[in-house]
């Protein structure tokens, strides 16, 4: 939910910073305010802002003063974090306002201690100590179940929002490409109110329709309407509209929020994914939020470049591997017409290196663990549920799903997704291939393959042959389910050339991708190909990585490798509709 009406104080900028290596901050009551000569920039991870902080995991403190105008008195104040972590605790004027676990979703706390017409102090404690019970799990900085760098800090924007006691809490909007709209709007108000519901064009210059609904406090408003003549949202024409809700008490405007929506329908049937009634083919990437110096924060200008590059190369889709991306990132997906598979931070690629089979089975059977996973999933859906770009959910990435207890957990979580949002199909990205026990529990099968890289290395043809045989076998077993290859690729070091193509050269990467795409597009049950990865990204240190994972077809600073040219030819020749 966005609002142009609620006053805001943006807290992005320079903050005081203090690393708490010896965990003394709590005892010394740093939350009341601390002295430090270290400076840090928000939003951005702490690591690359100073080489001395680079390899640090643990507790660090942030502090900043801000002035609140007297004119805002009488409103409720919320402090909103678009993403920080892994664990965040917040104090305002020395008073604890809340804590939150998880780096990649927005969270907010009500602040009762605001001083109006005066300076206020916010202190934030971030703890990114790795843990097996974190999402995603890790033991140490360089012993993780995931192949991306474990950054820490306030990665995304922070701001205060001032809200009337009568306000919109949440809204859930469902649409169809025929112009249907259903909205559930939850309003908090101590009086009876009127809600004005307005559909506008994207620029808010033309009101398409408006309705007044009478609300009885506090209220869940249900609204249904068919808009004839609206244009559907699609990759080739990502038509967006603004759906705004205004709350009036005795004719006085008290709150106004909006969502950018698109009219579109998604369904899975007869082995296809249909968008607006037409079967689609997803061409694109697994991506990451990763950039030099800023870490887990990707500046808007870089995102814009990414979307132009992805569009030019003929892509129409990506997965938010392996955590929900920022609002800016997904706003651009809505805007550019990208079909997104939204994934929570449940990433288990290297879990078997951290835990024994028995330990994995125990973890995934724990009701407490699943309840925590559900909280992460719920938060992600709540934040992004109204986006037209999000056409599917991925329950998790690369679980050890050849273990029955893990398969059972996937089944439960897939059902959980459906219970909160039945409107979107679910999948999960599997790397267990024919040994996977959970493929039957999801609408769409997603497979990650590195044959020709981690196995059959140096022999692309053999890798492709083995991969195709396994994919064919999976199709035989689940012939009614569409299959997406959600990861395939090879590392290439920019500027390293080899004839014949050898591993790590640009030629090897380009050739492997080409042969995968050619072999897979011959199979009609394959409905999507996501290359791993769009750009190089930073990883934990280990013998398989040279600081970065180099499977990007662009470098970390978004310059093309040879593969980018080849992918452009391949993707631009595959139509969006099958
Ligand atoms: C995978 C993971 C991804 C890794 C990739 C790789 O299967 O899902 O996070 O980065 O392989 O390059 O090893």
């Amino acid at each position: 939910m966005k609002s142009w009406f609620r006053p805001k104080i943006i807290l992005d900028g320079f903050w005081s910073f203090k690393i708490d290596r010896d965990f003394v901050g709590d005892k010394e009551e740093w939350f009341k305010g601390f002295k430090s000569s270290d400076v840090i920039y928000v939003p951005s991870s702490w690591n690359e802002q100073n080489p001395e902080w680079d390899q640090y995991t643990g507790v660090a403190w942030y502090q900043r003063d801000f002035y609140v105008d007297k004119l805002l008195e009488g409103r409720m104040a919320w402090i909103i974090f678009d993403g920080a972590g892994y664990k965040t605790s917040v104090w305002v004027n020395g008073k604890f306002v809340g804590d939150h676990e998880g780096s990649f979703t927005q969270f907010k706390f009500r602040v009762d201690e605001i001083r109006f017409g005066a300076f206020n102090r916010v202190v934030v404690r971030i703890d990114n100590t790795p843990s097996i019970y974190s999402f995603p799990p890790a033991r140490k900085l360089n012993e993780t179940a995931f192949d991306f760098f474990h950054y820490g800090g306030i990665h995304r924007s922070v701001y205060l929002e001032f809200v009337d006691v009568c306000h919109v809490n949440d809204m859930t909007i469902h649409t169809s490409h025929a112009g249907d709209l259903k909205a559930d709007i939850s309003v908090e108000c101590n009086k009876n109110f009127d809600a004005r519901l307005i559909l506008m064009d994207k620029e808010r210059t033309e009101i398409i329709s408006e309705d007044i609904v009478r609300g009885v406090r506090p209220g869940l408003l249900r609204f249904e309407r068919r808009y004839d003549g609206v244009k559907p949202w699609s990759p080739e024409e990502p038509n967006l509209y603004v759906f705004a809700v205004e709350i009036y008490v005795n004719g006085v405007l008290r709150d106004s929020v909006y969502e950018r929506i698109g009219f579109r329908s998604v369904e899975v049937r007869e082995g296809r994914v249909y968008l607006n009634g037409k079967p689609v083919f997803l061409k694109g990437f697994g991506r990451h939020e990763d950039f030099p110096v800023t870490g887990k924060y990707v500046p808007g200008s870089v995102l814009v470049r990414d979307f132009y590059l992805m569009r030019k190369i003929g892509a129409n889709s990506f997965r938010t591997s392996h955590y929900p991306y920022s609002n800016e990132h997904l706003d651009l997906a809505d805007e550019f017409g990208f079909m997104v598979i939204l994934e929570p931070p449940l990433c288990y690629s290297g879990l078997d290196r951290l835990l024994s089979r028995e330990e994995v089975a125990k973890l995934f059977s724990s009701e407490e663990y699943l309840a925590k996973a559900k909280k992460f999933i719920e938060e992600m859906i709540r934040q992004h549920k109204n986006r037209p770009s999000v056409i599917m959910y991925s329950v998790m990435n690369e679980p050890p799903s050849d273990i029955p207890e893990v398969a059972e957990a996937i089944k439960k979580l897939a059902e959980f997704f459906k219970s909160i949002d039945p409107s979107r199909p679910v999948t999960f990205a599997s790397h267990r291939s024919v040994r996977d026990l959970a493929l039957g529990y999801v609408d769409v099968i997603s497979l990650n393959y590195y044959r020709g890289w981690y196995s059959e290395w140096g022999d692309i043809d053999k890798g492709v042959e083995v991969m195709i045989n396994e994919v064919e076998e999976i199709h035989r077993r689940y012939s009614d389910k569409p299959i997406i290859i959600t990861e395939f690729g090879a590392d290439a070091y920019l500027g390293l050339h080899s004839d014949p193509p050898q591993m790590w050269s640009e030629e090897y990467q380009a050739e492997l991708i080409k042969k995968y795409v050619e072999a897979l597009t011959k199979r009609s049950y394959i409905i999507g190909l996501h290359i791993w990865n769009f750009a190089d990204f930073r990883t934990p240190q280990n013998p398989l990585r040279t600081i970065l994972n180099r499977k990007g077809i662009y470098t970390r600073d978004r310059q093309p490798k040879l593969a980018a040219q080849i992918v452009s030819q391949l993707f631009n020749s595959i139509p969006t509709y099958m």
Side-chain angles (χ1 to χ4, degrees):
M1 248 173 23
K2 298 179 163 68
S3 173
W4 55 71
F5 174 81
R6 299 175 175 177
K8 290 181 187 53
I9 297 177
I10 311 286
L11 298 179
D12 295 353
F14 298 107
W15 290 53
S16 295
F17 183 65
K18 200 166 179 168
I19 297 255
D20 188 4
R21 281 184 209 274
D22 304 318
F23 301 105
V24 296
D26 292 314
K27 216 172 85 224
E28 293 180 4
E29 303 191 322
W30 293 3
F31 48 84
K32 290 187 175 162
F34 60 83
K35 292 238 175 317
S36 172
S37 53
D38 280 334
V39 172
I40 197 158
Y41 189 77
V42 171
S44 281
S45 307
W46 66 54
N47 307 71
E48 295 182 28
Q49 298 195 46
N50 178 347
E52 284 176 19
W53 306 334
D54 191 89
Q55 298 289 304
Y56 181 71
T57 56
V59 174
W61 297 72
Y62 289 67
Q63 175 177 302
R64 174 169 174 160
D65 293 345
F66 57 92
Y67 185 82
V68 182
D69 201 295
K70 236 188 159 21
L71 286 173
L72 294 170
E73 201 150 12
R75 288 176 169 263
M76 284 193 309
W78 295 93
I79 185 160
I80 305 183
F81 290 78
D82 276 351
Y86 179 76
K87 282 185 183 153
T88 307
S89 313
V90 182
W91 292 262
V92 175
N93 298 330
K95 192 169 173 250
F96 179 70
V97 296
D99 48 19
H100 178 263
E101 184 171 344
S103 302
F104 305 107
T105 37
Q106 188 185 65
F107 53 93
K108 62 179 190 179
F109 305 120
R110 173 133 178 219
V111 187
D112 293 322
E113 297 303 304
I114 289 286
R115 296 182 196 130
F116 294 90
F119 272 97
N120 293 262
R121 172 162 292 178
V122 56
V123 175
V124 180
R125 177 192 195 270
I126 302 275
D127 182 354
N128 82 333
T129 310
S131 157
I132 288 297
Y133 302 100
S134 291
F135 290 95
R139 233 191 248 300
K140 290 186 187 155
L141 185 64
N142 294 319
E143 275 179 46
T144 59
F146 49 91
D147 178 39
F148 52 93
F149 190 73
H150 180 56
Y151 285 103
I154 306 182
H155 312 291
R156 298 183 187 159
S157 284
V158 187
Y159 55 98
L160 285 138
E161 195 171 73
F162 295 85
V163 185
D164 194 280
V165 280
C166 289
H167 62 272
V168 180
N169 244 338
D170 189 24
M171 56 178 166
T172 307
I173 300 167
H174 291 291
T175 63
S176 81
H177 69 292
D180 299 296
L181 182 143
K182 277 188 200 156
D184 280 340
I185 304 155
S186 135
V187 180
E188 240 171 60
C189 193
N190 53 3
K191 306 225 169 63
N192 291 345
F193 60 90
D194 291 319
R196 181 168 169 244
L197 314 178
I198 317 151
L199 186 75
M200 287 174 267
D201 68 330
K202 192 177 100 185
E203 281 73 37
R204 304 178 306 275
T205 44
E206 186 201 335
I207 291 186
I208 293 161
S209 78
E210 55 179 302
D211 293 86
I212 307 280
V213 182
R214 183 129 194 95
V216 183
R217 66 198 152 108
L220 180 68
L221 301 178
R222 284 246 145 115
F223 175 72
E224 267 194 70
R225 199 174 199 293
R226 174 140 188 167
Y227 296 94
D228 290 318
V230 290
K231 292 187 192 149
W233 181 96
S234 66
E236 66 282 10
E237 232 191 278
N239 294 300
L240 292 173
Y241 292 86
V242 170
F243 182 75
V245 179
E246 295 178 346
I247 303 296
Y248 291 85
V249 176
N250 298 327
V252 179
L253 178 61
R254 305 289 284 270
D255 193 23
S256 170
V257 294
Y258 71 97
E259 286 280 34
R260 291 200 318 168
I261 60 159
F263 290 88
R264 60 113 184 89
S265 322
V266 183
E267 60 183 317
V268 175
R269 64 184 147 83
E270 293 141 14
R272 295 270 184 278
V273 174
Y274 290 83
L275 181 78
N276 305 336
K278 291 185 275 182
V280 280
F281 191 90
L282 312 183
K283 322 173 260 181
F285 302 95
R287 289 175 53 82
H288 261 301
E289 288 196 331
D290 169 272
F291 201 64
V293 184
T294 54
K296 273 262 158 282
Y297 172 66
V298 185
S301 45
V302 179
L303 290 174
V304 169
R305 182 175 172 97
D306 284 4
F307 277 85
Y308 278 109
L309 292 177
M310 289 197 294
R311 178 188 272 174
K312 189 169 140 199
I313 215 166
N316 61 16
S317 173
F318 63 87
R319 175 169 58 123
T320 69
S321 43
H322 299 304
Y323 39 83
Y325 293 170
S326 69
N327 281 335
E328 290 93 339
H329 204 145
L330 294 177
D331 281 350
L332 285 182
D334 290 337
E335 182 97 30
F336 277 71
F338 274 72
M339 294 177 280
V340 172
I341 303 177
L342 183 65
E343 187 169 87
L346 277 66
C347 180
Y348 299 105
S349 312
L351 193 65
D352 16 18
R353 288 194 300 269
L354 303 184
L355 297 178
S356 69
R357 218 180 146 87
E358 291 67 38
E359 286 167 331
V360 170
K362 201 167 152 219
L363 185 69
F364 280 80
S365 316
S366 148
E367 282 305 324
E368 198 188 331
Y369 185 70
L370 290 190
K372 193 167 158 186
K374 287 179 183 171
K375 214 181 128 253
F376 277 72
I377 291 167
E378 216 165 0
E379 251 183 50
M380 173 186 84
I381 296 182
R382 184 181 162 108
Q383 187 174 347
H384 298 299
K385 63 190 166 188
N386 295 327
R387 295 187 178 281
S389 59
V390 175
I391 61 151
M392 199 183 300
Y393 296 120
S394 162
V395 179
M396 56 179 74
N397 182 63
E398 300 197 337
S401 36
D402 49 341
I403 301 175
E405 288 82 353
V406 176
E408 191 54 31
I410 294 169
K411 179 168 184 254
K412 286 186 186 158
L413 293 180
E415 286 165 0
F416 181 68
F417 267 94
K418 295 272 178 173
S419 72
I420 343 183
D421 182 0
S423 76
R424 291 177 171 98
V426 293
T427 186
F428 74 97
S430 163
H431 67 332
R432 286 300 197 251
S433 185
V434 289
R435 289 186 292 132
D436 201 300
L437 300 175
L439 301 179
Y441 300 142
V442 282
D443 304 301
V444 175
I445 293 178
S446 290
L447 305 171
N448 296 352
Y449 274 108
Y450 288 96
R451 297 201 166 268
W453 186 258
Y454 294 123
S455 61
E456 298 84 32
W457 49 79
D459 190 345
I460 295 173
D461 290 329
K462 185 75 199 159
V464 170
E465 185 193 318
V466 181
M467 178 271 301
I468 284 291
N469 287 340
E470 294 190 5
V471 174
E472 292 262 308
E473 171 58 25
I474 291 170
H475 171 60
R476 261 192 296 280
R477 290 186 202 166
Y478 303 96
S479 53
D480 57 327
K481 291 194 197 274
I483 299 181
I484 303 174
I485 307 300
T486 30
E487 286 185 27
F488 62 102
D491 288 80
Y493 204 98
L494 184 79
L496 187 65
H497 292 286
S498 171
D499 180 10
Q502 296 193 74
M503 290 179 82
W504 292 93
S505 69
E506 292 193 40
E507 286 76 10
Y508 191 92
Q509 180 191 41
E511 177 133 325
L512 183 141
I513 291 173
K514 185 162 183 267
K515 290 196 164 157
Y516 263 71
V517 173
E518 284 171 353
L520 288 161
T521 44
K522 288 200 188 100
R523 272 92 189 155
S524 63
Y525 55 84
I526 300 286
I527 62 102
L529 294 175
H530 282 178
I531 293 164
W532 190 259
N533 187 285
F534 172 73
D536 293 348
F537 58 91
R538 195 169 165 197
T539 68
Q541 298 181 59
N542 70 54
L544 292 176
R545 299 282 179 262
T546 57
I547 304 180
L548 308 182
N549 179 315
R550 310 241 173 207
K551 293 192 187 69
I553 66 161
Y554 291 89
T555 58
R556 200 181 187 207
D557 61 353
R558 278 53 180 175
Q559 295 302 331
K561 301 181 190 171
L562 176 64
Q565 272 177 42
I566 304 298
V567 171
S568 177
Q569 287 160 14
L570 293 164
F571 276 0
N572 279 306
S573 67
I574 305 173
T576 287
Y577 299 101
M578 299 179 73

